[in-house]
Amino acid sequence: MAMNPAAAERLACIPVDQVHIEGALALPADPIGIVLFAHGSGSSRHSPRNNHVARVLHAHQLGTLLLDLLTPEEDLDYSQRFDIALLARRLLAATRWLQAQQQTAALPLAYFGASTGAAAALQAAAALGPDIRALVSRGGRPDLAGPDALARVQCPTLLIVGGNDPEVLELNRQAAAQLRGPHQLDLIPGASHLFEEAGALESVAQLAAGWLQEQLRDTLQPAPGPGGISS
C-alpha cells in the first residue's frame, strides 16, 4: 500500500513531572485512530524502525505520536531507561494530552511498544482501561509490566516476536498466559530481536497496521473539528 502523502507532522511538547517530553505527532487527512509509540531503552522518536512502522500506519489511516518518554538529560541515567513505572507515567501524561487536543480528542487510542516500552504501554493500558482500544508489542518485554498490570489490561493485545529470538519469545509466552483480555502472539519467521533481516520489519509493520486498523475502525466517534493537522 502506498504511503499517504497527506499525513502532516508537528512537534508535540508535553508537560509532565516538572519537565517537558517531546513527540512527533502526525495525522493523515481522515484518521480512524491514533497510535502512541513507547520506544525501548536507548531508543527515541527518531528510531528508524518505529518511523518505518509509523509511515505504514499512516497509509492505513492511523495517526501516530512517536514519543521520547525521557528528556535527553534523563536518558543519560541508564537506570531510568528501565524504570517502567516512570515510563508508564509519562505515557499516561501523553495520552491525556492527546485526549485534550481538539484534533485528536475524538480519535480511538492505541499503544505500540518496543522492548521496555511495551511494558510501559501495558502498565498504562491497565491504568486507563477502556480508553485504550488496542496494543501492539514489537520484540517487547511484557513481563516487565508485572503480573498485576497484565491481568488488568482490557484491550486486545498483539505480541509480535522474532522467530529467532528464543529468550524474548519465552518471556512473551509467559506474559501472554497472564493476560486476561483478548490477545495473540505472532512470530516473524527468521527474525531476530531487532527485526533487521530482509523483509522482517516490513512484516511487522504490515501485521501491526492491519491489526490496529481492524481494532480501531469501528470505534471512531464524530470528530469535533476537521481532521488532519494544519501546517
Side-chain angles (χ1 to χ4, degrees):
M1 182 178 291
M3 298 304 166
N4 188 344
E9 181 176 314
R10 69 174 173 90
L11 179 68
C13 190
I14 302 165
V16 58
D17 293 339
Q18 290 77 53
V19 298
H20 286 81
I21 58 174
E22 294 185 342
L25 175 63
L27 296 179
D30 296 299
I32 61 171
I34 186 163
V35 183
L36 291 83
F37 279 65
H39 309 295
S41 58
S43 188
S44 75
R45 71 178 189 274
H46 303 295
S47 159
R49 286 181 290 274
N50 282 343
N51 272 274
H52 177 80
V53 174
R55 289 192 294 271
V56 174
L57 296 189
H58 300 159
H60 286 73
Q61 292 182 274
L62 295 165
T64 57
L65 176 58
L66 277 71
L67 289 163
D68 289 338
L69 296 176
L70 298 175
T71 67
E73 294 75 21
E74 290 172 333
D75 193 55
L76 296 175
D77 182 348
Y78 190 75
S79 66
Q80 294 202 79
R81 299 181 182 182
F82 293 88
D83 188 338
I84 305 302
L86 170 64
L87 300 178
R89 186 168 70 248
R90 299 286 175 84
L91 186 56
L92 285 169
T95 305
R96 296 188 183 104
W97 181 86
L98 275 178
Q99 291 173 319
Q101 305 301 304
Q102 182 180 11
Q103 293 170 314
T104 55
L107 294 177
L109 299 172
Y111 288 149
F112 184 102
S115 189
T116 51
L122 285 159
Q123 283 196 359
L128 289 174
D131 281 358
I132 303 302
R133 307 300 178 87
L135 189 151
V136 175
S137 165
R138 172 183 66 80
R141 288 293 308 274
D143 55 298
L144 295 178
D148 178 66
L150 290 170
R152 290 188 292 114
V153 173
Q154 299 180 26
C155 65
T157 299
L158 174 63
L159 307 172
I160 304 175
V161 182
N164 291 349
D165 193 8
E167 293 182 4
V168 171
L169 174 57
E170 179 56 30
L171 292 170
N172 273 256
R173 284 174 171 158
Q174 294 173 11
Q178 299 176 72
L179 286 168
R180 296 180 183 174
H183 60 276
Q184 66 186 61
L185 173 60
D186 283 1
L187 297 183
I188 304 298
S192 58
H193 183 61
L194 294 179
F195 301 92
E196 294 176 308
E197 296 74 15
L201 186 61
E202 183 62 24
S203 295
V204 171
Q206 294 296 336
L207 178 62
W211 190 84
L212 286 165
Q213 187 180 55
E214 180 180 353
Q215 300 298 326
L216 298 179
R217 181 188 287 118
D218 297 329
T219 61
L220 181 63
Q221 300 298 317
I229 298 177
S230 57
S231 55

